[in-house]
């Protein structure tokens, strides 16, 4: 009764904890760090030992674009569910991320205020093997680069620098790196 026939190929994607400049959503760790630093307050973390797969927003975006191309080209074998996650080295705790962020910024502090009222998994991990094998996708930024790129974006934003130009430079640098990786594979 609800089944329709169509030629549209669909897939679903899930990405690990995506970070990058410009995310101001409520209860987002990077935004919380930046707002705390900007207002000279301590960032409060509720679950310091929670391990997450941190990746820069450009990482899964690349995967989405690769997948979209295959679907657009009519390749039915790419229909389905896909995970995009960083390499294992990017799976660090919330507290490690906060410490690294404060170190990169050269300012800030934090406190732990546990909140067990929210059910959170201690460790979140995604298996991106399918994307790596079938899309030839791979993460390009290690955890230090991911955090440097993210916090540098916010630093420039708060310093009223040309954020559009900086964002375009990050995008170009990332996709140039991807092109170099692709050339090396050929």
């Amino acid at each position: 009764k609800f089944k329709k026939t169509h030629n549209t190929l669909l897939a679903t994607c899930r990405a690990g904890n995506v970070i990058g400049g410009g995310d101001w959503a409520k209860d987002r760790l990077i935004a919380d760090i930046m707002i705390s630093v900007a207002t000279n307050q301590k960032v409060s973390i509720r679950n310091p030992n929670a391990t997450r797969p941190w990746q820069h927003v450009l990482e899964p975006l690349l995967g989405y674009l690769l997948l979209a191309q295959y679907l657009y080209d009519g390749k039915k074998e790419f229909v389905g569910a896909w995970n995009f996650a960083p390499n294992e080295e990017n799976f660090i705790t919330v507290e490690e991320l906060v410490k690294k962020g404060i170190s990169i910024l050269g300012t800030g502090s934090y406190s732990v205020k546990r909140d067990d009222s929210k059910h959170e998994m201690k460790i979140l991990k995604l298996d991106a093997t399918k994307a790596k094998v079938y899309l030839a996708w791979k993460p390009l930024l290690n955890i230090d680069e991911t955090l440097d790129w993210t916090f540098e974006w916010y630093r420039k934003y708060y310093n009223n620098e040309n954020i559009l130009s900086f964002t375009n430079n990050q995008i170009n640098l990332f996709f140039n790196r991807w092109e170099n990786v692709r050339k090396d594979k050929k």
Side-chain angles (χ1 to χ4, degrees):
K1 188 174 189 176
F2 294 104
K3 187 176 178 183
K4 286 187 174 185
T5 57
H6 57 80
N7 295 325
T8 305
L9 301 181
L10 300 174
T12 58
C13 300
R14 181 171 52 179
N17 284 48
V18 178
I19 61 176
D23 183 355
W24 300 108
K26 184 174 175 14
D27 295 326
R28 298 280 290 166
L29 185 57
I30 303 296
D32 290 348
I33 292 168
M34 294 311 302
I35 290 166
S36 294
V37 166
T39 59
N40 206 23
Q41 297 178 10
K42 286 186 176 187
V43 66
S44 177
I45 55 177
R46 67 176 180 268
N47 196 350
N49 298 320
T51 300
R52 300 292 181 255
W54 309 101
Q55 64 183 325
H56 194 275
V57 64
L58 294 173
E59 302 274 22
L61 177 61
L62 170 61
Y64 301 163
L65 292 170
L66 293 169
L67 179 58
Q69 183 65 55
Y70 283 114
L71 296 172
Y72 179 79
D73 290 344
K75 303 204 183 233
K76 293 180 182 177
E77 63 270 28
F78 290 91
V79 168
W82 296 84
N83 289 333
F84 297 96
N87 291 324
E88 192 74 25
E89 69 179 25
N90 284 38
F91 291 63
I92 64 172
T93 67
V94 167
E95 187 169 29
E96 287 174 282
L97 183 139
V98 170
K99 285 179 179 178
K100 285 177 180 272
I102 289 170
S103 176
I104 291 166
L105 295 169
T107 186
S109 61
Y110 73 97
S111 64
V112 176
K113 294 184 182 167
R114 293 197 178 275
D115 180 359
D116 295 326
S117 67
K118 295 178 171 80
H119 176 70
E120 290 183 306
M121 298 294 295
K122 181 171 172 48
I123 299 175
L124 293 181
K125 290 190 176 186
L126 295 176
D127 182 357
T129 303
K130 181 179 171 183
K132 291 175 181 178
V133 171
Y134 295 102
L135 297 174
W137 172 86
K138 67 182 255 177
L140 301 176
L141 302 176
N142 64 38
I143 189 63
D144 291 330
E145 291 170 311
T146 297
L147 295 175
D148 285 343
W149 284 36
T150 299
F151 285 105
E152 189 60 24
W153 190 98
Y154 284 99
R155 183 191 336 264
K156 290 193 179 294
Y157 175 86
Y158 276 105
N159 287 337
N160 293 314
E161 294 182 37
N162 185 336
I163 203 65
L164 179 59
S165 176
F166 183 75
T167 301
N168 285 332
N169 287 338
Q170 281 190 329
I171 292 168
N172 289 330
L173 182 61
F174 182 85
F175 282 98
N176 286 338
R177 188 181 288 190
W178 170 246
E179 284 301 317
N180 290 333
V181 166
R182 287 182 50 200
K183 285 177 190 173
D184 289 345
K185 287 183 180 181
K186 292 181 180 178

